Amino acid sequence: MNPAREDKREPNRVVIFDTTLRDGEQSPGASMNLDEKIRIAQTLEEMGVDVIEAGFPIASPGDFEAVNQIAKTVVNSTVCGLARATKGDIDRAAEALRPAARRRIHTFISTSPLHMKYKLQMEPDAVHDKVIESVSYARRFTDDVEWSCEDGTRSEHDFLCRCVESAIKAGATTINIPDTVGYTVPEEYAALIRMLFARVPNIDKAIVSTHCHNDLGLAVANSLAAVVAGARQIECTVNGLGERAGNAAMEEVVMALRTRHDRMPFVTGVRSEHIMKASRLVSAITGFVVQPNKAIVGANAFAHESGIHQDGMLKHAGTYEIMTPESVGLVRSKIVLGKHSGRHAFREKLSELGYSLGDNALADAFTRFKVLADAKKEVFDEDIVALVDDEIARAGERIGLVSLEILCGTKHQPPKAELELNIDGAAKSCKASGDGPVDAAFKAIRQLFPHDARLLLYQVHAVTAGTDAQAEVTVRLEENGRSVNGQGADTDTMVASVKAYLNALNKLLVKREKSAPAAMSA
Ligand code: KIV
Ligand code: ZN
């Protein structure tokens, strides 16, 4: 019996397979550190995701460790590791997944003429042999094995059917048909899935899965069309993160199935009220800002601006709202915080927003909240989220900000920064000037802690409206081919900028530490 099916006997149950930590992390610039990956995995588990693809263990020691740690941490979701069709890859995936309560090995090989000829340089018969070898070998480690035909949508049907049938015979319990290059269209993809159901004699022994890339903006539509045609697993990512134009967005497939249950009578196990939290977390960690008009999780997705719409909404929300903001976790808050709010109300608010902090972290966050409430007229939920995320990001940093003073404007040219940092417990200060205030502040950091990392991205985002809004800054640094994202939030954009730079630098130090314990100083 297919273990995935055993758990989800309901014939209309769609398995949600999240690959934010694997395919999502393959987006250029979206790299995440171990702690961040664990936080995302825990969030996915809490929201009821069935399968979490935690990484590609053979790809790097960091990927191995992430899969291994997530396998130790997550209990309710199946943890999956990716492997090419080789023993080395499968061994590494099996080893990383060993501690998992539920584990899946996902092995893949290309089946399209183009990929077989140019990428693999293998004959179809040899590819077919590899399918059988790799799936049978993976089954030695777990009875939950997924097989994917990379570039499946551009594969010849006879060959695809032959490989799928053999993969199932060899023990694959899930058969994934990737649209690797985002080329297919809904009607064609649905026909491909129906063709497999019609022609592969043992197809009922496996769950058929979709894995759609978004190069033509059709990833979600293609995934849904495949489900209507019989697929019962959707591979997707939070915010649609992923290679090139990304993967099918999890929040969109989940809410489409929920909202249009009348046309697509399928259910998922995802608790949709966790969607906003997951979206914000992935966006904050990767520095990939969600576009305001993005379906489901964009800042404007539930905003009604025009007078006619507002009037309609006041008369009946259904006039312009096809799903409620609450259903995706946009809480119309019961608790409004201000500068007179106490620790108890603050703790309640955190739990309403899905955070549970230890006593020390709570005390630090509360102190910062009081400072923020003094500086801002109104403290919104978004402010609290930014503040707490900032607090979490800073935990255990070797280099911390002590003070910053900036002189700039028309009368102070060139702009100057006076900066004091705490570096491994010692206070160090300096002055620097630059082309602008940000340049001056970043030059001061380099002076106090010399390093060769290149600045790849500097991005400022206002957490809420108004000139007293907190700024949320993302900085991406790159050193020896390794890139990291740092975040900082503050009502002072310059302070937020320095915090974000330091956060990225601290992450680089952790990476350096892991790759060469001797090379610790700058
Ligand atoms: O897009 C793709 O083909 C993949 C496979 C490894 C499943 O990501
Ligand atoms: Zn992919």
Side-chain angles (χ1 to χ4, degrees), residues 19 41 64 67 132 140 177 184 189 192 196 217 244 262 288 294 313 337 342 352 409 430 436 460 499 507 511 520:
T19 182
F64 177 88
V67 177
I132 299 170
R140 293 197 197 177
I177 312 294
T184 198
Y189 194 47
L192 178 65
L196 290 172
R244 306 183 309 279
D262 57 327
F288 280 41
K294 160 88 177 60
M313 285 292 294
L337 293 183
E352 192 182 273
C430 76
V460 185
K499 280 177 161 184
K507 287 183 182 172
K511 285 208 175 212
M520 274 305 298

Side-chain angles (χ1 to χ4, degrees), residues 8-282:
K8 286 113 203 156
R9 284 172 195 279
E10 164 68 40
N12 286 353
R13 171 75 153 76
V14 174
V15 172
I16 295 294
F17 175 116
D18 181 278
T19 182
T20 307
L21 298 173
R22 200 278 297 169
D23 220 336
E25 212 215 6
Q26 286 174 212
S27 310
S31 68
M32 311 166 201
N33 67 24
L34 178 63
D35 263 12
E36 293 166 341
K37 286 184 181 178
I38 293 175
R39 279 169 64 203
I40 291 177
Q42 286 170 331
T43 305
L44 296 172
E45 182 186 25
E46 272 168 34
M47 75 194 290
V49 162
D50 300 292
V51 186
I52 299 172
E53 188 164 52
F56 190 0
I58 194 100
S60 71
D63 253 49
F64 177 88
E65 200 187 345
V67 177
N68 191 242
Q69 291 300 327
I70 291 169
K72 288 179 186 157
T73 316
V74 166
V75 286
N76 295 319
S77 311
T78 297
V79 181
C80 174
L82 186 67
R84 286 165 300 187
T86 68
K87 285 193 170 174
D89 275 39
I90 295 169
D91 283 338
R92 200 79 178 128
E95 200 185 328
L97 290 167
R98 196 175 300 143
R102 301 156 200 251
R103 71 188 73 94
R104 173 180 295 189
I105 295 177
H106 175 190
T107 181
F108 72 99
I109 191 164
S110 296
T111 50
S112 68
L114 202 65
H115 276 220
M116 289 192 288
K117 181 166 178 198
Y118 294 104
K119 184 181 128 170
L120 300 177
Q121 298 181 336
M122 282 169 78
E123 290 301 319
D125 281 348
V127 168
H128 178 253
D129 290 347
K130 280 265 174 211
V131 173
I132 299 170
E133 255 174 52
S134 56
V135 172
S136 322
Y137 189 63
R139 274 300 296 249
R140 293 197 197 177
F141 303 99
T142 171
D143 54 7
D144 188 350
V145 172
E146 171 168 334
W147 178 73
S148 283
C149 42
E150 194 184 1
D151 207 16
T153 51
R154 293 192 298 170
S155 301
E156 281 170 358
H157 289 191
D158 288 352
F159 185 61
L160 191 60
C161 288
R162 184 174 160 221
C163 288
V164 169
E165 184 179 350
S166 297
I168 297 172
K169 247 189 225 154
T173 45
T174 299
I175 295 292
N176 185 36
I177 312 294
D179 183 29
T180 304
V181 290
Y183 180 69
T184 198
V185 295
E187 176 252 320
E188 178 188 49
Y189 194 47
L192 178 65
I193 303 294
R194 278 196 297 269
M195 183 282 294
L196 290 172
F197 275 100
R199 293 185 49 191
V200 176
N202 54 0
I203 196 78
D204 61 315
K205 306 267 183 316
I207 284 184
V208 174
S209 166
T210 75
H211 178 108
C212 297
H213 281 268
N214 206 29
D215 300 66
L216 293 173
L218 292 170
V220 169
N222 288 336
S223 306
L224 297 174
V227 167
V228 172
R232 288 295 177 271
Q233 173 174 287
I234 299 181
E235 302 200 352
C236 48
T237 57
V238 175
N239 297 339
L241 200 67
E243 286 261 11
R244 306 183 309 279
N247 290 57
M250 190 230 276
E251 60 280 4
E252 295 180 25
V253 293
V254 166
M255 290 314 288
L257 289 177
R258 191 181 142 137
T259 309
R260 295 312 309 272
H261 193 75
D262 57 327
R263 301 293 299 201
M264 297 177 287
F266 309 101
V267 290
T268 73
V270 171
R271 290 181 273 283
S272 64
E273 322 79 64
H274 292 240
I275 281 177
M276 280 313 299
K277 185 182 168 199
S279 166
R280 284 184 187 131
L281 182 67
V282 169

Side-chain angles (χ1 to χ4, degrees), residues 193-411:
I193 303 294
R194 278 196 297 269
M195 183 282 294
L196 290 172
F197 275 100
R199 293 185 49 191
V200 176
N202 54 0
I203 196 78
D204 61 315
K205 306 267 183 316
I207 284 184
V208 174
S209 166
T210 75
H211 178 108
C212 297
H213 281 268
N214 206 29
D215 300 66
L216 293 173
L218 292 170
V220 169
N222 288 336
S223 306
L224 297 174
V227 167
V228 172
R232 288 295 177 271
Q233 173 174 287
I234 299 181
E235 302 200 352
C236 48
T237 57
V238 175
N239 297 339
L241 200 67
E243 286 261 11
R244 306 183 309 279
N247 290 57
M250 190 230 276
E251 60 280 4
E252 295 180 25
V253 293
V254 166
M255 290 314 288
L257 289 177
R258 191 181 142 137
T259 309
R260 295 312 309 272
H261 193 75
D262 57 327
R263 301 293 299 201
M264 297 177 287
F266 309 101
V267 290
T268 73
V270 171
R271 290 181 273 283
S272 64
E273 322 79 64
H274 292 240
I275 281 177
M276 280 313 299
K277 185 182 168 199
S279 166
R280 284 184 187 131
L281 182 67
V282 169
S283 167
I285 285 175
T286 57
F288 280 41
V289 174
V290 173
Q291 76 193 59
N293 57 330
K294 160 88 177 60
I296 318 293
V297 291
N300 294 348
F302 292 91
H304 303 278
E305 177 75 23
S306 91
I308 295 172
H309 287 206
Q310 286 175 347
D311 180 56
M313 285 292 294
L314 289 171
K315 288 174 177 147
H316 191 289
T319 49
Y320 289 101
E321 228 167 53
I322 57 167
M323 52 201 156
T324 64
E326 288 81 3
S327 65
V328 301
L330 274 171
V331 200
R332 291 195 225 278
S333 187
K334 295 182 248 11
I335 310 158
V336 181
L337 293 183
K339 65 178 173 184
H340 301 296
S341 304
R343 194 180 293 261
H344 181 68
F346 184 65
R347 190 198 291 271
E348 284 298 305
K349 167 62 77 186
L350 291 187
S351 110
E352 192 182 273
L353 293 171
Y355 291 100
S356 86
L357 300 187
D359 287 346
N360 290 344
L362 181 76
D364 290 347
F366 184 65
T367 309
R368 281 194 59 196
F369 156 70
K370 283 290 190 183
V371 174
L372 180 69
D374 263 339
K376 272 192 102 223
K377 281 198 291 290
E378 290 171 292
V379 180
F380 299 100
D381 286 0
E382 290 86 343
D383 288 315
I384 308 287
V385 169
L387 183 152
V388 177
D389 283 347
D390 187 70
E391 199 64 41
I392 294 171
R394 237 144 290 291
E397 287 190 339
R398 275 181 54 189
I399 310 172
L401 171 65
V402 179
S403 67
L404 173 72
E405 214 179 310
I406 298 281
L407 271 181
C408 63
T410 49
K411 289 195 182 147

